[in-house]
Amino acid sequence: MPAGSYAGRSHALLLRSATASRRSWIAFVSGFFEPFFYLLAMGQGLGSMVGTLPGPDGAPLSYAAFIAPGLLAASAMNGAVFDSTFNVFFKLKYGRIYDAMLATPLGPVDIALGEIGWALIRGGIYSLGFLAVMGGFGLLVSPWALLALPAALVVAFAFAAVGMAATSFMRSWQDFDLVTLVVLPMFLFSTTFYPLSVYPRWLQIVVECLPLYHAVELMRGLTTGVVHVGLLGHLAYFAVMIAFGVVVAARRLDALLLR
């Protein structure tokens, strides 16, 4: 690692973000409500007409119990992605906050880890809130659901790392159309609202490559108590995302801020 890139003080970024969020707490917590409204409208409303769907082990699940884990995964993704893209881009290109930070002992790697860590926390807070909602609706039927929050943190970490790496390549606000272009189809088609079996086989392969699909399957297995060794494969997918995202984000910030 180049000298001056890492000072071991990435926690300073977390403190700075927490302090700044006190003035915009409404915007910070608003991301929790989107999946909550989806659960009310589709799980409780449309669910009365859909009936049951097959769960991870083939056993029937109510429609609300089927989509709730997918919305939980989406909460972790949304909190992490939008904080590590829109917020980071503003600080990098317009606020010039990182330039000021480099006048301190902080280095680009500290900045990358600190911002990824804060996006992880935001995704974790959204996930915790939605887990509480699932508990209130009686949708947590297994003790394995206790592991859903740590799993959501892993998902948020992965999306935050890749989101920040992608942001380092963006040139203008117009590039954020690509973020929506990626996130929205993933949300709609990654087995969030219907099982993988509804797709033709070639499209199933495409869906199985999407990161949100692995998050949804991981959450669905934990919240319904269908735990098997295949869940480790989903975790390995996110471990690769984390490693790739952190390395690319750190190197790109090093090139952008110390050029």
Side-chain angles (χ1 to χ4, degrees):
M1 187 178 297
S5 292
Y6 182 60
R9 297 181 58 84
S10 55
H11 63 278
L13 270 294
L14 299 179
L15 294 176
R16 188 259 172 208
S17 297
T19 302
S21 296
R22 294 176 184 175
R23 295 176 178 268
S24 56
W25 63 270
I26 294 179
F28 185 83
V29 302
S30 63
F32 157 78
F33 291 101
E34 181 180 358
F36 172 65
F37 290 144
Y38 267 109
L39 181 61
L40 284 179
M42 303 194 70
Q44 303 300 320
L46 184 62
S48 61
M49 295 182 285
V50 173
T52 61
L53 290 176
D57 59 349
L61 284 178
S62 69
Y63 190 60
F66 181 86
I67 69 170
L71 295 173
L72 172 60
S75 294
M77 177 187 71
N78 289 338
V81 165
F82 289 109
D83 201 282
S84 63
T85 54
F86 291 92
N87 288 346
V88 168
F89 184 79
F90 175 81
K91 295 174 186 176
L92 180 64
K93 298 291 187 179
Y94 294 93
R96 299 293 181 181
I97 294 173
Y98 300 142
D99 295 299
M101 290 178 180
L102 290 178
T104 72
L106 294 174
V109 177
D110 296 288
I111 294 172
L113 292 177
E115 292 292 5
I116 291 171
W118 180 248
L120 183 160
I121 291 173
R122 186 168 182 173
I125 290 174
Y126 287 179
S127 301
L128 179 61
F130 194 76
L131 274 171
V133 171
M134 289 178 65
F137 280 108
L139 300 176
L140 301 178
V141 296
S142 169
W144 287 102
L146 293 173
L147 295 179
L149 181 58
L153 292 176
V154 173
V155 172
F157 193 177
F159 277 105
V162 172
M164 188 165 186
T167 302
S168 68
F169 290 96
M170 293 182 182
R171 300 158 297 176
S172 67
W173 291 109
Q174 283 71 29
D175 290 339
F176 281 91
D177 291 340
L178 298 175
V179 177
T180 304
L181 183 63
V182 171
V183 170
L184 185 58
M186 274 204 300
F187 174 63
L188 294 175
F189 300 115
S190 295
T191 69
T192 309
F193 298 107
Y194 29 80
L196 188 65
S197 58
V198 303
Y199 299 117
R201 181 56 192 157
W202 68 268
L203 191 52
Q204 290 181 13
I205 296 174
V206 174
V207 172
E208 288 170 348
C209 294
L210 300 176
L212 187 59
Y213 165 79
H214 295 274
V216 171
E217 293 301 305
L218 178 61
M219 299 301 174
R220 192 166 284 146
L222 291 174
T223 56
T224 59
V226 183
V227 178
H228 49 83
V229 69
L231 298 184
L232 296 178
H234 299 310
L235 289 173
Y237 184 100
F238 291 115
V240 173
M241 282 183 66
I242 290 169
F244 173 81
V246 170
V247 170
V248 172
R251 290 185 175 181
R252 284 289 299 163
L253 284 181
D254 189 82
L256 291 172
L257 298 175
L258 296 181
R259 58 187 175 185

